[in-house]
Amino acid sequence: LVAYIAKTPDYEVLFAGLSVDDSTAITQRLKESQIPYKLAQDGAAVLVPSKRVLETRLEMATSGLPSGGVVGYEIFDQSTFGMTEFVQKLNYKRALQGELTRTINQFREIQSSRVHIAVPDKRIFASDNSEPTASIVLKLASGHRLKKDKVRGIVHLVASSVENLLPENVTVVDVDGNVLAGGEPSDEAALLSSNQLEHRSNVEKSMERRITSMLENIVGPGKVVTRVTANIDFKRTERTEKKFDPASQVARSEQRSESKSVGEQAPIGVPGVQSNIPGAEQSATATSKPATNNNSSETTNYEINEVTAHIVEQVGAIKRLSIAVVVDGKYKKKEGGGREYSPRSPEEIKQLSSLVETASGYNEKRGDKIVVESAPFDISRFEGEINTVKAQANRQLYADIVKYAGLGILAVVLFLFVARPIIKSITAASSDIETLRQFPQTIEQMEAKYAAAEESVDFRTRSRQLIDKDPKAAAEMVREWLRTKR
């Protein structure tokens, strides 16, 4: 078993997320190159031995694989002799769609995509021409979400790649049929209303997340539901104000003028013809003074303090907030099983309300309203999922127990039947060596040891007897002698 596992090669992913066409082409090329492979993820992933992953990737790249299931500008690498104009235009549109698809697939959040471009034929009169349109279908990678700015980036990428294509004529949908972009009004006022609705939604969701995360740290995860309604003022107001302070007036200049005039003497006499006849006797007249006129004027110019202010009121200011928070109560286990619900105390509700007011920027003058209530949560809809998760966890636990128990049994078997005999043989050989070392190592030592007891013993004969009796021990002793002399 160990030898079989050791000889089995480790497989690594060569390519993943392949289309059916790419998977078929790659497996066919691997068969031609006699490279072993495995399929995974329902044929969307191809695995090869780990030692040949890099080499195989380079080989596939030279063949233009994987192509993403689309055809790009390489379609023009083939000879176009005898091709009609219609076919050339069709191939150009296919190539453009394929290149845009490959570019869009570079996004980390996108698993695959398809691009469809509709370019109408040009008419004789410009007024009869129609605008080109484009449609994009996206399949998002698992666990990813495409943000609005990236959707707009894809729209402008496609619009900039096609002549006379406007961004509002590009539609983006996902594989579930949700419209991510397209059908947007060209009217600036309508577009502004759409952006205002998105801004309002972002404000409400952001406040909901902040309040929920704060309260969950107190009452526990999954025990808080928050809903926020924000009334936002999107009016843009600009005004210029001029203020004058009469109390701060200062005389800047003064001008004074006087004039006096004297008129002629007024005529006197009796009116009529008699007084104007020459030689006639003049009647007595009274003397009169000439008329005089006196004029005087005074002008004073004052400098008054003037303040000019240009005020632009903030756009998107919050006019009113309405916040509703539902908090789950407390549960106690019953003796006979089950749980008993008890609502939270008024003191706890008041404390949670104060926290919500502080976190949301509560303003009583604005008319903000915050309601915090305690109510039991209905978790019956999650019981099936909870049981399923528990069953999966138990199966995984049992599988891990069997796995590690099998490894433990295998380790014990290897120790008893492989390692232990080897250790015994090593220890037995070492004990035999220690026993041999107790014998004299040279002829002189043997003679010195046994001379007093057996002076008449023939040591050569004795040695032959020992060798005949235990040849293995004698051979080991000779090897020890040789090692000692070295």
Side-chain angles (χ1 to χ4, degrees), residues 26 29 33 89 103 138 156-157 166 184 190 201 225 237 239 244 306 323 376 379 383-384 393 406 411 426 469:
I26 290 174
R29 191 60 183 270
S33 303
K89 290 183 178 179
T103 304
L138 302 178
H156 285 280
L157 171 68
L166 301 177
E184 297 177 353
S201 178
V225 176
T237 305
R239 66 176 184 271
F244 300 93
E306 177 185 352
I323 303 175
I379 60 173
E383 290 180 354
I426 295 174
K469 184 177 179 181

Side-chain angles (χ1 to χ4, degrees), residues 206-389:
S206 175
M207 195 169 296
E208 288 175 0
R209 286 195 300 268
R210 289 191 289 115
I211 294 174
T212 302
S213 62
M214 177 184 64
L215 297 185
E216 282 185 341
N217 291 329
I218 300 174
V219 301
K223 293 188 175 183
V224 179
V225 176
T226 306
R227 293 294 180 265
V228 177
T229 300
N231 187 2
I232 299 178
D233 186 8
F234 291 101
K235 291 188 299 183
R236 181 181 179 87
T237 305
E238 295 186 16
R239 66 176 184 271
T240 301
E241 297 179 351
K242 286 187 177 182
K243 295 182 180 180
F244 300 93
D245 186 8
S248 61
Q249 61 181 359
V250 177
R252 183 178 62 179
S253 63
E254 292 183 1
Q255 183 179 0
R256 295 179 181 177
S257 63
E258 294 182 359
S259 62
K260 183 178 182 181
S261 61
V262 178
E264 295 181 356
Q265 184 176 1
I268 58 175
V270 178
V273 178
Q274 186 65 32
S275 62
N276 291 320
I277 297 175
E281 187 176 347
Q282 300 289 333
S283 61
T285 60
T287 61
S288 63
K289 295 182 179 180
T292 60
N293 186 17
N294 295 328
N295 293 323
S296 65
S297 64
E298 181 178 351
T299 303
T300 304
N301 295 322
Y302 293 94
E303 191 70 32
I304 300 176
N305 187 18
E306 177 185 352
V307 177
T308 304
H310 183 72
I311 301 173
V312 179
E313 294 185 356
Q314 182 182 2
V315 178
I318 297 176
K319 297 175 62 177
R320 188 172 182 270
L321 282 177
S322 299
I323 303 175
V325 180
V326 181
V327 182
D328 196 6
K330 299 179 180 179
Y331 296 89
K332 295 180 182 180
K333 291 184 179 181
K334 296 181 180 180
E335 296 181 357
R339 300 186 306 171
E340 181 181 358
Y341 171 80
S342 60
R344 297 188 179 272
S345 62
E347 291 76 12
E348 290 179 303
I349 297 298
K350 185 177 180 180
Q351 180 184 8
L352 297 177
S353 300
S354 300
L355 293 175
V356 174
E357 290 178 359
T358 305
S360 61
Y362 174 80
N363 189 349
E364 186 177 0
K365 295 181 180 179
R366 268 187 331 210
D368 295 351
K369 186 177 182 180
I370 296 177
V371 177
V372 179
E373 297 290 343
S374 177
F377 283 13
D378 182 14
I379 60 173
S380 59
R381 53 178 177 169
F382 301 113
E383 290 180 354
E385 298 180 2
I386 293 173
N387 294 332
T388 302
V389 172

